[in-house]
Each structure stands twice: as structure tokens, then as C-alpha cells.
Amino acid sequence: MTEEELYKKLEYTNHTREQRGTMATFILDNPSLILTLLSIILRVEDVISCRASWILECVVRKNKDLLYPYLDEFTLLLPKVQLDSSIRPIAKICELLIISYYAKTPNKSQQHLNKKHLERITTACFDWLIGDHKVAAQAYSMTTLQLLGKTFAWIHPELKILLEQNYHTGSAAYKARARMVLKKIGSA
């Protein structure tokens, strides 16, 4: 399937769980399309890129293994994603990968994510946290950065300052996640 054919298929996919699930199943059955999906996500000003991001999130939730061969491409696209509807699922994918990476039981995330990937995810998460983005992307970024602080010692002090600085102006959801992360950082 060409990129344009997949693009056309995404044009007819809406935000409903049913349609996202159907499209995710299609990608799961055709994992060679992951790179094509990433190419569509890179059309950062196109609303169809958001749909591609939603589908990638669904795919990664079901099978992270399919993304591992494309971690270089995925982490390189992080700073390029612009639309909030794309940033939220991309931030969630980062959170899922990092939660897996820091799991106590050995897993493939620990084998495939390298220092460069972790650094790119760190940079993107700080950008999403500092920038004017929706609370979901910021919440995912908080959790991701809290875990990455286990590898990069400088993250926790910076994250703590940032969360305390923005706490009073944050939404209820922002404050709830910030409290949870600050508590974990404090006990680290």
C-alpha cells in the first residue's frame, strides 16, 4: 500500500473508538505500514496527520514491538509535531515506551530504546510541558520525565521547579498529575 492509499484510508477514519480500532487492526495486520504511518504523521500541518497519530497510539497500546524498528524515525519526528490532536497521542506513546523501559521485569523496550532515543523523548516532553499545550500531553510528559529522571539526574530538579512554578495556574487535572509526580520526585 502506498502512502497516498493509506492517506485516503485515514481520510475516512474518524475519532470514534470503533473506527480507530478498525484502522489500528489493519495496521497491526500490516506492520510494514508503520513507516508509512510515520510519514503521514510528519505532514504536521495536515489534520490527517492527527488521525495517523491516533492510530499509531492504538497500535502501540496493543503491540509496542511494531514500533521498535522505527524508534529513530519516531523520536526524530517528536519536535516536528505541531497540532495538539497529534501531540496528545504522540506524548502518550512516549509515556507507554518509557513506562515499559523502566519496568522491573526485563522487556524489549529496555533492549531497543537507546540513550539518543531517551534524550529526544526528554527534550520533546519538556517542550510539551513548557509550551502552550493541552493538559493531557502535559500530564503524559510529567510522568515520562519523572521516570527519565532515574537515568538523567538533572531532570528531577528542573521538573520540580517547572511543576511548582506552573502549579497555581494549572487546571485541576494538571495539579493532580503534578502532585503525584512531585510526591514521587520527593521520595526518589
Side-chain angles (χ1 to χ4, degrees), residues 20-47:
R20 284 183 294 154
T22 299
M23 192 63 181
T25 300
F26 177 75
I27 300 295
L28 287 162
D29 292 342
N30 299 282
S32 62
L33 292 175
I34 297 283
L35 192 57
T36 308
L37 201 59
L38 291 170
S39 293
I40 294 170
I41 291 170
L42 275 171
R43 298 180 184 192
V44 294
E45 294 179 8
D46 185 337
V47 294

Short mmCIF file of all heavy atoms in Angstrom, two decimals, residues 20-47:
data_model
loop_
_atom_site.label_atom_id
_atom_site.label_comp_id
_atom_site.label_asym_id
_atom_site.label_seq_id
_atom_site.Cartn_x
_atom_site.Cartn_y
_atom_site.Cartn_z
N ARG A 20 -11.18 3.95 15.00
CA ARG A 20 -9.75 3.92 15.33
C ARG A 20 -9.29 2.48 15.52
O ARG A 20 -8.21 2.09 15.08
CB ARG A 20 -9.45 4.74 16.57
CG ARG A 20 -9.47 6.24 16.33
CD ARG A 20 -9.11 7.02 17.56
NE ARG A 20 -10.15 6.83 18.56
CZ ARG A 20 -10.00 6.94 19.87
NH1 ARG A 20 -8.83 7.25 20.38
NH2 ARG A 20 -11.00 6.77 20.69
N GLY A 21 -10.11 1.68 16.19
CA GLY A 21 -9.78 0.28 16.42
C GLY A 21 -9.68 -0.51 15.14
O GLY A 21 -8.77 -1.33 14.97
N THR A 22 -10.61 -0.26 14.23
CA THR A 22 -10.59 -0.95 12.93
C THR A 22 -9.32 -0.62 12.16
O THR A 22 -8.65 -1.51 11.61
CB THR A 22 -11.84 -0.56 12.10
OG1 THR A 22 -13.01 -0.95 12.83
CG2 THR A 22 -11.83 -1.22 10.74
N MET A 23 -8.99 0.66 12.14
CA MET A 23 -7.78 1.09 11.41
C MET A 23 -6.52 0.56 12.11
O MET A 23 -5.57 0.14 11.42
CB MET A 23 -7.75 2.62 11.32
CG MET A 23 -6.72 3.12 10.37
SD MET A 23 -7.06 2.59 8.69
CE MET A 23 -5.69 3.32 7.86
N ALA A 24 -6.51 0.55 13.43
CA ALA A 24 -5.35 0.02 14.16
C ALA A 24 -5.18 -1.47 13.86
O ALA A 24 -4.05 -1.94 13.66
CB ALA A 24 -5.52 0.25 15.66
N THR A 25 -6.28 -2.20 13.79
CA THR A 25 -6.21 -3.63 13.47
C THR A 25 -5.64 -3.82 12.07
O THR A 25 -4.82 -4.73 11.84
CB THR A 25 -7.60 -4.27 13.57
OG1 THR A 25 -8.07 -4.12 14.92
CG2 THR A 25 -7.58 -5.75 13.21
N PHE A 26 -6.03 -2.95 11.15
CA PHE A 26 -5.49 -3.00 9.79
C PHE A 26 -3.96 -2.84 9.82
O PHE A 26 -3.23 -3.58 9.15
CB PHE A 26 -6.15 -1.94 8.91
CG PHE A 26 -5.59 -1.87 7.52
CD1 PHE A 26 -5.91 -2.85 6.59
CD2 PHE A 26 -4.73 -0.84 7.14
CE1 PHE A 26 -5.38 -2.80 5.30
CE2 PHE A 26 -4.20 -0.78 5.86
CZ PHE A 26 -4.53 -1.76 4.94
N ILE A 27 -3.48 -1.88 10.60
CA ILE A 27 -2.02 -1.64 10.71
C ILE A 27 -1.36 -2.82 11.42
O ILE A 27 -0.28 -3.27 11.02
CB ILE A 27 -1.71 -0.32 11.42
CG1 ILE A 27 -2.30 0.88 10.66
CG2 ILE A 27 -0.20 -0.14 11.64
CD1 ILE A 27 -1.73 1.14 9.29
N LEU A 28 -1.99 -3.32 12.48
CA LEU A 28 -1.43 -4.48 13.20
C LEU A 28 -1.29 -5.68 12.28
O LEU A 28 -0.34 -6.46 12.39
CB LEU A 28 -2.31 -4.83 14.40
CG LEU A 28 -2.23 -3.88 15.59
CD1 LEU A 28 -3.43 -4.05 16.52
CD2 LEU A 28 -0.93 -4.07 16.36
N ASP A 29 -2.23 -5.82 11.35
CA ASP A 29 -2.18 -6.93 10.39
C ASP A 29 -1.19 -6.65 9.24
O ASP A 29 -0.83 -7.56 8.50
CB ASP A 29 -3.57 -7.18 9.79
CG ASP A 29 -4.55 -7.75 10.81
OD1 ASP A 29 -4.10 -8.26 11.86
OD2 ASP A 29 -5.78 -7.65 10.57
N ASN A 30 -0.78 -5.39 9.11
CA ASN A 30 0.14 -4.97 8.04
C ASN A 30 1.24 -4.10 8.65
O ASN A 30 1.33 -2.90 8.34
CB ASN A 30 -0.61 -4.20 6.96
CG ASN A 30 -1.69 -5.02 6.30
OD1 ASN A 30 -1.41 -5.85 5.45
ND2 ASN A 30 -2.94 -4.81 6.72
N PRO A 31 2.08 -4.68 9.51
CA PRO A 31 3.06 -3.87 10.25
C PRO A 31 4.06 -3.14 9.37
O PRO A 31 4.67 -2.16 9.82
CB PRO A 31 3.75 -4.88 11.16
CG PRO A 31 3.45 -6.22 10.61
CD PRO A 31 2.16 -6.10 9.85
N SER A 32 4.19 -3.53 8.14
CA SER A 32 5.10 -2.81 7.24
C SER A 32 4.60 -1.39 6.97
O SER A 32 5.35 -0.55 6.46
CB SER A 32 5.27 -3.57 5.92
OG SER A 32 4.02 -3.65 5.25
N LEU A 33 3.37 -1.09 7.35
CA LEU A 33 2.79 0.23 7.13
C LEU A 33 3.15 1.23 8.24
O LEU A 33 2.79 2.41 8.14
CB LEU A 33 1.27 0.14 6.99
CG LEU A 33 0.76 -0.56 5.73
CD1 LEU A 33 -0.76 -0.70 5.77
CD2 LEU A 33 1.19 0.21 4.49
N ILE A 34 3.83 0.77 9.28
CA ILE A 34 4.20 1.68 10.38
C ILE A 34 5.03 2.85 9.86
O ILE A 34 4.76 4.01 10.20
CB ILE A 34 4.97 0.93 11.50
CG1 ILE A 34 4.10 -0.14 12.14
CG2 ILE A 34 5.52 1.91 12.53
CD1 ILE A 34 3.09 0.34 13.12
N LEU A 35 6.01 2.58 9.03
CA LEU A 35 6.86 3.65 8.50
C LEU A 35 6.03 4.62 7.64
O LEU A 35 6.23 5.83 7.70
CB LEU A 35 8.02 3.06 7.69
CG LEU A 35 9.13 4.02 7.31
CD1 LEU A 35 9.73 4.69 8.54
CD2 LEU A 35 10.22 3.30 6.54
N THR A 36 5.08 4.09 6.90
CA THR A 36 4.19 4.93 6.09
C THR A 36 3.33 5.79 7.00
O THR A 36 3.12 6.99 6.74
CB THR A 36 3.30 4.05 5.19
OG1 THR A 36 4.14 3.15 4.45
CG2 THR A 36 2.49 4.89 4.22
N LEU A 37 2.85 5.22 8.09
CA LEU A 37 2.06 5.97 9.07
C LEU A 37 2.89 7.11 9.66
O LEU A 37 2.41 8.24 9.80
CB LEU A 37 1.59 5.00 10.17
CG LEU A 37 0.40 5.39 11.02
CD1 LEU A 37 -0.84 5.62 10.18
CD2 LEU A 37 0.13 4.29 12.05
N LEU A 38 4.15 6.82 9.97
CA LEU A 38 5.05 7.87 10.49
C LEU A 38 5.25 8.98 9.46
O LEU A 38 5.32 10.15 9.83
CB LEU A 38 6.40 7.26 10.90
CG LEU A 38 6.36 6.35 12.14
CD1 LEU A 38 7.69 5.61 12.30
CD2 LEU A 38 6.03 7.15 13.39
N SER A 39 5.33 8.63 8.20
CA SER A 39 5.47 9.64 7.15
C SER A 39 4.25 10.55 7.09
O SER A 39 4.37 11.76 6.90
CB SER A 39 5.66 8.98 5.78
OG SER A 39 6.88 8.31 5.73
N ILE A 40 3.08 9.98 7.30
CA ILE A 40 1.86 10.79 7.29
C ILE A 40 1.81 11.68 8.53
O ILE A 40 1.39 12.83 8.45
CB ILE A 40 0.61 9.89 7.16
CG1 ILE A 40 0.62 9.20 5.79
CG2 ILE A 40 -0.67 10.70 7.37
CD1 ILE A 40 -0.42 8.11 5.60
N ILE A 41 2.28 11.17 9.66
CA ILE A 41 2.34 11.99 10.88
C ILE A 41 3.24 13.20 10.63
O ILE A 41 2.99 14.28 11.17
CB ILE A 41 2.82 11.15 12.08
CG1 ILE A 41 1.76 10.12 12.47
CG2 ILE A 41 3.16 12.04 13.29
CD1 ILE A 41 2.21 9.08 13.48
N LEU A 42 4.26 13.04 9.82
CA LEU A 42 5.18 14.14 9.52
C LEU A 42 4.56 15.24 8.67
O LEU A 42 5.15 16.30 8.51
CB LEU A 42 6.44 13.62 8.84
CG LEU A 42 7.51 13.12 9.80
CD1 LEU A 42 8.63 12.42 9.04
CD2 LEU A 42 8.06 14.25 10.64
N ARG A 43 3.38 15.03 8.15
CA ARG A 43 2.65 16.09 7.45
C ARG A 43 2.00 16.96 8.53
O ARG A 43 0.79 16.99 8.69
CB ARG A 43 1.59 15.50 6.53
CG ARG A 43 2.15 14.62 5.42
CD ARG A 43 1.02 14.09 4.56
NE ARG A 43 1.50 13.17 3.55
CZ ARG A 43 0.76 12.75 2.53
NH1 ARG A 43 -0.49 13.18 2.37
NH2 ARG A 43 1.25 11.90 1.66
N VAL A 44 2.84 17.63 9.29
CA VAL A 44 2.47 18.20 10.59
C VAL A 44 1.37 19.26 10.56
O VAL A 44 0.73 19.50 11.58
CB VAL A 44 3.71 18.77 11.32
CG1 VAL A 44 4.66 17.65 11.68
CG2 VAL A 44 4.41 19.83 10.49
N GLU A 45 1.11 19.87 9.44
CA GLU A 45 0.05 20.88 9.38
C GLU A 45 -1.24 20.33 8.79
O GLU A 45 -2.24 21.04 8.66
CB GLU A 45 0.54 22.10 8.59
CG GLU A 45 1.66 22.82 9.29
CD GLU A 45 2.17 24.02 8.53
OE1 GLU A 45 1.56 24.39 7.50
OE2 GLU A 45 3.18 24.59 8.95
N ASP A 46 -1.25 19.06 8.48
CA ASP A 46 -2.39 18.39 7.86
C ASP A 46 -3.19 17.67 8.95
O ASP A 46 -2.62 16.91 9.74
CB ASP A 46 -1.86 17.39 6.82
CG ASP A 46 -2.94 16.71 6.01
OD1 ASP A 46 -4.09 16.64 6.47
OD2 ASP A 46 -2.61 16.24 4.90
N VAL A 47 -4.50 17.88 8.99
CA VAL A 47 -5.32 17.23 10.03
C VAL A 47 -5.30 15.71 9.93
O VAL A 47 -5.51 15.02 10.93
CB VAL A 47 -6.78 17.74 10.02
CG1 VAL A 47 -6.85 19.20 10.41
CG2 VAL A 47 -7.45 17.49 8.68
#
